[in-house]
Amino acid sequence: MTKNELLKFIHDIAIVPVVKIDDAAKAVPLAKAMMAGGIPVAEITFRTAAAEEAIRNVTKACPEMVVGAGTVINPALAEKAVAAGAKFIVSAGLNPETVRWCNEHDIPCVPGVCTPSEIELGLSLGLDTLKFFPAEASGGVKMLKDFAGPFPQVKFMTTGGINPANLLDYARTPNVLAIGGSWMVKADLIENEQWDEITRLCSEAVTQVQGLEFVHVGINNADDKEAMKVAQAFAAFGMGINNGNSSIFMDKAIEVMKTPFYGEKGHLAFRCPDLERTVAYLEKKGFTVRQESVKYDAKGKMKICYFNEEIGGFAIHLVK
Ligand code: 3PG
């Protein structure tokens, strides 16, 4: 995997569990539990003596799991981690020596920063993806939005104080590449071998991070005349008519189509902050993008798409 492929992989998975493990023998069942929950990536931290062996065990037993090493405070530790199989290096702070070692060895490195000066240091070392740590204590989403002004080219892996209650705020922040945290792999869950619970928490996080919200239903009609009849019937329920070119919106909830558009009966539209990510997520569930339906914004990011598969006679529509 090239650096860009790795970053795209992490972006699409969106959640990076931050693991602190005391018993390397538990690393493989832990990795399997995370993968079963839809998270084939993890940061195993050098906060315990078992980290190196845990990385080695997982990379050997689960080659499809992308393992990074965390809390890598110097080049020697980075070298150890990579020798054990780590595919990327993470640290809480930014040690230029570690970054240089990673650059020389072509190993993706995501050091931690929480100030503009540290971001500039990261940029000067050739990095444009950084870890924002400790996220909540350093100003959270508000701080990330302020970073976007002077540093529009920088993307952040955010960790520190993130959990299901504030996860979505981060997922909706455009300069967030992915969200890290320990809430789904807490030490006691690993200690007590609660693999099903870890799978459940991972799966819940992966769904939640999509930020999917139902926004409207589209109803297909043969022509303008039939559409107007349908719209007028809905107007009797107090809904406002907003007549457009190809459809009539009833408030924002019902889109009365003037043609038999996608879907046997119509479509269901869901809003989400990152269509590329949610397409990757839904593809794993068997949905395929209807290529001719895809539209992009000025920055080249997907803003609209439909899927080939229908639910109950309705095409599924994603919108930003
Ligand atoms: C890290 O190093 O990224 C953090 O320890 C993870 O933060 P959390 O435990 O608050 O999720």
Side-chain angles (χ1 to χ4, degrees):
M1 232 189 246
T2 65
K3 186 186 165 196
N4 284 342
E5 285 166 351
L6 178 99
L7 293 176
K8 159 100 174 89
F9 182 81
I10 291 176
H11 162 270
D12 286 353
I13 303 296
I15 303 282
V16 182
V18 177
V19 176
K20 177 174 168 268
I21 189 162
D22 288 303
D23 178 1
K26 293 194 164 88
V28 172
L30 169 64
K32 287 184 175 161
M34 289 188 279
M35 285 194 289
I39 307 189
V41 63
E43 174 191 330
I44 298 183
T45 61
F46 274 88
R47 291 176 201 178
T48 64
E52 187 183 356
E53 201 187 332
I55 292 171
R56 187 169 295 115
N57 290 349
V58 176
T59 48
K60 254 196 210 148
C62 315
E64 63 282 31
M65 179 97 186
V66 176
V67 182
T71 320
V72 175
I73 55 170
N74 56 45
L77 217 46
E79 193 170 353
K80 225 185 215 190
V82 170
K87 298 289 180 296
F88 62 101
I89 296 295
V90 184
S91 50
L94 196 166
N95 178 346
E97 285 181 34
T98 309
V99 177
R100 278 191 207 103
W101 184 90
C102 289
N103 286 348
E104 277 160 24
H105 293 82
D106 213 17
I107 303 293
C109 175
V110 190
V113 299
C114 66
T115 66
S117 301
E118 292 159 345
I119 295 172
E120 288 190 10
L121 178 57
L123 286 170
S124 74
L125 291 160
L127 302 174
D128 56 11
T129 302
L130 298 162
K131 166 163 161 153
F132 177 44
F133 176 82
E136 278 293 286
S138 312
V141 164
K142 215 163 163 278
M143 189 77 153
L144 285 163
K145 286 183 179 158
D146 283 346
F147 286 159
F151 307 115
Q153 70 277 51
V154 181
K155 293 266 182 278
F156 297 92
M157 254 172 73
T158 63
T159 67
I162 304 176
N163 55 56
N166 57 10
L167 170 63
L168 252 185
D169 298 335
Y170 285 89
R172 291 192 176 119
T173 306
N175 56 353
V176 170
L177 176 89
I179 296 153
S182 60
W183 77 90
M184 73 303 271
V185 288
K186 285 268 173 251
D188 58 327
L189 294 176
I190 301 173
E191 183 56 36
N192 299 325
E193 306 192 0
Q194 287 173 265
W195 312 130
D196 289 348
E197 179 61 1
I198 289 173
T199 297
R200 190 189 68 76
L201 288 166
C202 288
S203 168
E204 180 184 83
V206 167
T207 305
Q208 202 191 346
V209 79
Q210 308 306 325
L212 282 160
E213 280 173 281
F214 174 72
V215 281
H216 69 254
V217 57
I219 301 175
N220 287 343
N221 292 285
D223 52 34
D224 284 41
K225 221 172 123 197
E226 190 183 306
M228 194 40 84
K229 239 174 100 184
V230 169
Q232 272 156 358
F234 281 126
F237 289 80
M239 300 186 96
I241 294 185
N242 190 353
N243 200 351
N245 286 333
S246 54
S247 65
I248 306 165
F249 258 100
M250 308 304 301
D251 295 337
K252 286 182 174 158
I254 302 177
E255 183 178 17
V256 181
M257 308 305 295
K258 296 181 178 178
T259 56
F261 196 55
Y262 297 146
E264 182 201 333
K265 296 173 186 165
H267 64 264
L268 302 171
F270 291 85
R271 186 169 34 225
C272 60
D274 191 320
L275 267 71
E276 277 84 359
R277 170 179 293 154
T278 297
V279 162
Y281 161 79
L282 287 172
E283 277 174 351
K284 287 186 201 133
K285 301 198 177 288
F287 288 88
T288 55
V289 171
R290 196 165 181 147
Q291 289 305 334
E292 73 277 17
S293 70
V294 179
K295 292 202 174 95
Y296 297 91
D297 66 14
K299 288 183 181 155
K301 296 276 288 173
M302 207 187 276
K303 65 172 186 181
I304 283 176
C305 78
Y306 285 75
F307 293 94
N308 290 306
E309 297 71 21
E310 299 182 4
I311 300 180
F314 288 87
I316 302 299
H317 171 28
L318 294 184
V319 55
K320 203 160 176 161

